[in-house]
Amino acid sequence: MAKAVIILFVVSGVLYFLFYPFLKNRVNRKKTLRWFLIVYGAALLFSTISYYFSEEKPPESFLQGVELVKQQPQLTSKIGQFKQVVYNNEDLPRPSDNPAILKFTLQGTSGAVQVEAKVAKGSRGGWYLTETAEVSPLYN
């Protein structure tokens, strides 16, 4: 959303210098300012709406893998009561990945743990945890 605002201001600055002779008249300046505010408001509205509708869900392998990792007793003893999962969109596996490599952080009431795990889809369609490669505590 901030990118849209910045682009809009840059474009308006370029347009100002292109239409400078037209803007010497006071009436034309008022019309231009009014239309600029209308277009700016519309762009801000559309940008906000598109932000809320464009959120992508993580793939099924990621969601199932997180649930499997959360059930491991060694992790629950380190983080306590589970609060949230933090991940980067760049680290998400593709929906077609099988096995899928997962990288995320589990945060809890008494700490956070960075996890790298691998999950695979079985012949019956269920996901299972093949390995938990690295578990490194971030804070306790």
Side-chain angles (χ1 to χ4, degrees), residues 11 15 21 65 77 92 121 130:
V11 168
L15 289 175
S77 66
L92 288 176
K121 194 169 197 172
T130 60

Side-chain angles (χ1 to χ4, degrees), residues 75 78-79 104-106 112-116 132-140:
L75 291 178
K78 290 181 182 179
I79 66 168
F104 56 90
T105 302
L106 289 176
V113 177
Q114 192 169 15
V115 179
E116 288 186 25
T132 304
E134 184 179 322
V135 178
S136 54
L138 296 177
Y139 57 88
N140 284 332

Side-chain angles (χ1 to χ4, degrees), residues 9 12-13 29 48-49 59-61 73 91-92 110 115 131:
F9 274 113
S12 65
R29 274 195 307 263
T48 305
I49 290 171
E60 179 188 6
S61 60
D91 292 337
L92 288 176
S110 61
V115 179
E131 64 182 69

